[in-house]
Amino acid sequence: TEQIRSRPLEELKRRDWPTLTVEPLNQSECKVFLKDYLKQYVKELDTVQTERIAAARQTSNPLYLRALLEELRLFGKYEELDKKITYYLEAQNPYELYKKVVVRWEEDYEEDNDLVGESMSLIWAARRGLSEGELLDVLGKDGEPLPQTVWSPLFLAAEGSLVNCSGLLNFFHDYLRDAVKDKYLSTEEKQKEAHVILADYFEKKELGIRKVDELPCQLSQAMQWQRLYNLMSSLDFFKAVWTAEQFEAKAYWAMLENNSLSIVDAYQPVLKSSNLYENKNSVWYLTKLFADIGHPSEAFSLCEYLVKYCREIGDNNGLQTSLGGQALILRGWGRLDEAMELLKEQERICVENLETKKVWGHPLAAKH
């Protein structure tokens, strides 16, 4: 891990680019940070407590110091504050500190439920995080979302360790993520269970960005290969994934084929259809998918169909695209003369299209 993290720095040095080394906080800086942070909440520590915290080696890490101060400002028993400082300073790094923080959340915000474990496990399992509405839906019971009155106290306590990106809640840093994983998801089986819960939730949602982004990812993480196969076999869902990020569509099918689930079998209805053109865009995406993950014969047959149909209806744009796809496959097979003939025809069609646009005064064509 350290080797991977050092690669960007090594590359910067190789290029002789300037770098800036950010040093840990010294004791004076730590005291200023401590005073200013607590002042925001009309809180302060006495001199002895301040000196003690500033002198601790681990508080030179700003993240550790911030998390420690956040815990101390929420602690309501001043007479026990020294004992609490001792307890937290036993943690030698941010990861150990967040393990203690999670335990405190359990003590304060769980009664007859597993709110902390369930909510943090779901955030951990989510690909890009969860919206507050999604989280409350999954945590709810009997078809009703979890009441805000139950969730809000924990959220307010954890808010400083979470980040909201475009409405999705996620962990602010990996220390908390690792602490949650080790406490609640320590086995592969528990991790799969968390992914299955989210897969079940997103499977019921209407087709949209969140479903496309999360559902296939959750199924793959849970190793629910048959469910992922059934999902990706749907031409509408495949098209949505491909449109969002074609490389992910390829990656999911590569996983499925590695688990003995055939893409050719999945799309047999498409390959045997007598009218593929009604799904022209989806079929074109399929030709690229077949070609890119090792099924050129199927890709070529789809291209042949599209070429034939485009000729019949006079769709020159579709025709030149399909000819180019055929040519690439022929080149891969070593049939270079045939590929060149198709590329020449593709070029001719493109030139004719451009000339037509010039005649009609198309602004982009005129610019060319």
Side-chain angles (χ1 to χ4, degrees):
T1 301
E2 291 302 322
Q3 186 179 20
I4 292 173
R5 288 175 177 169
S6 68
R7 286 176 186 170
L9 180 58
E10 294 303 319
E11 184 62 22
L12 290 176
K13 292 179 179 178
R14 188 185 69 79
R15 300 184 186 190
D16 293 326
W17 287 6
T19 60
L20 176 65
T21 301
V22 181
E23 299 290 348
L25 298 175
N26 59 40
Q27 288 194 31
S28 297
E29 292 168 332
C30 185
K31 292 176 185 177
V32 172
F33 186 107
L34 185 155
K35 180 179 179 181
D36 290 348
Y37 187 85
L38 293 179
K39 186 177 180 181
Q40 300 174 86
Y41 306 98
V42 196
K43 300 274 187 177
E44 64 177 352
L45 298 175
D46 64 34
T47 302
V48 174
Q49 292 166 338
T50 299
E51 291 287 346
R52 184 182 175 197
I53 292 173
R57 173 193 55 80
Q58 57 270 43
T59 59
S60 63
N61 181 315
L63 179 59
Y64 181 105
L65 181 58
R66 180 179 179 275
L68 170 63
L69 296 177
E70 184 69 9
E71 287 298 292
L72 295 181
R73 82 169 184 86
L74 294 172
F75 187 66
K77 300 178 180 179
Y78 182 79
E79 64 277 7
E80 297 180 17
L81 190 56
D82 287 332
K83 183 178 178 180
K84 204 66 175 177
I85 291 173
T86 299
Y87 170 71
Y88 282 123
L89 287 180
E90 290 171 353
Q92 296 303 303
N93 52 56
Y95 164 74
E96 292 182 3
L97 179 59
Y98 272 101
K99 288 176 68 176
K100 292 178 177 289
V101 170
V102 170
V103 170
R104 200 272 298 175
W105 290 346
E106 287 184 341
E107 293 172 349
D108 288 357
Y109 305 110
E110 288 187 353
E111 294 180 2
D112 56 351
N113 57 37
D114 186 24
L115 178 62
V116 177
E118 290 180 356
S119 59
M120 294 301 134
S121 294
L122 291 171
I123 293 174
W124 177 91
R127 182 183 187 186
R128 304 188 196 279
L130 295 171
S131 71
E132 193 169 17
E134 291 169 346
L135 188 58
L136 295 181
D137 281 345
V138 182
L139 291 171
K141 305 294 183 183
D142 302 321
E144 295 294 327
L146 183 74
Q148 278 281 356
T149 53
V150 178
W151 161 249
S152 292
L154 172 60
F155 173 66
L156 293 174
E159 189 175 16
S161 298
L162 300 175
V163 61
N164 187 322
C165 292
S166 302
L168 300 180
L169 295 175
N170 211 333
F171 297 123
F172 179 62
H173 45 76
D174 284 340
Y175 296 114
L176 178 55
R177 176 178 295 278
D178 291 342
V180 166
K181 178 183 177 183
D182 291 344
K183 183 169 180 57
Y184 302 112
L185 302 151
S186 57
T187 67
E188 184 175 299
E189 196 60 35
K190 290 180 179 179
Q191 294 167 24
K192 288 181 181 179
E193 288 174 6
H195 289 301
V196 168
I197 290 172
L198 289 182
D200 291 343
Y201 171 74
F202 283 105
E203 192 170 45
K204 298 173 185 175
K205 309 294 284 186
E206 293 184 4
L207 184 60
I209 294 174
R210 289 293 291 144
K211 183 170 183 174
V212 168
D213 197 37
E214 288 285 350
L215 179 53
C217 177
Q218 295 303 325
L219 291 174
S220 66
Q221 291 294 320
M223 299 184 185
Q224 298 267 308
W225 303 121
Q226 188 62 51
R227 288 178 65 183
L228 180 59
Y229 176 83
N230 295 340
L231 180 70
M232 294 299 293
S233 297
S234 162
L235 203 57
D236 287 340
F237 195 86
F238 162 74
K239 179 182 177 182
V241 175
W242 184 278
T243 303
E245 180 51 78
Q246 61 177 276
F247 298 107
E248 290 185 359
K250 296 175 189 178
Y252 291 134
W253 271 115
M255 292 178 198
L256 290 168
E257 294 227 305
N258 285 338
N259 285 276
S260 304
L261 293 166
S262 169
I263 184 175
V264 177
D265 292 342
Y267 294 118
Q268 276 300 315
V270 179
L271 295 170
K272 294 180 177 180
S273 173
S274 60
N275 185 15
L276 295 177
Y277 203 73
E278 62 187 14
N279 291 308
K280 181 184 69 173
N281 288 338
S282 298
V283 172
W284 173 242
Y285 299 153
L286 275 182
T287 63
K288 296 184 71 177
L289 175 66
F290 278 128
D292 289 348
I293 68 171
H295 297 283
S297 297
E298 286 76 13
F300 193 80
S301 68
L302 289 175
C303 280
E304 278 188 315
Y305 176 89
L306 291 176
V307 166
K308 178 182 177 182
Y309 197 90
C310 289
R311 289 190 196 280
E312 290 176 358
I313 67 172
D315 180 2
N316 282 342
N317 286 328
L319 177 57
Q320 63 89 9
T321 299
S322 302
L323 288 169
Q326 275 189 306
L328 287 175
I329 296 170
L330 288 170
R331 186 187 68 175
W333 285 340
R335 294 159 61 177
L336 301 182
D337 291 341
E338 295 174 74
M340 181 57 70
E341 286 299 315
L342 295 181
L343 290 173
K344 287 179 179 178
E345 183 178 0
Q346 183 188 35
E347 181 185 34
R348 177 181 59 76
I349 294 170
C350 290
V351 170
E352 288 176 357
N353 287 346
L354 185 59
E355 290 300 323
T356 300
K357 290 176 181 178
K358 284 183 178 180
V359 168
W360 288 97
H362 192 282
L364 293 179
K367 183 177 179 181
H368 285 293

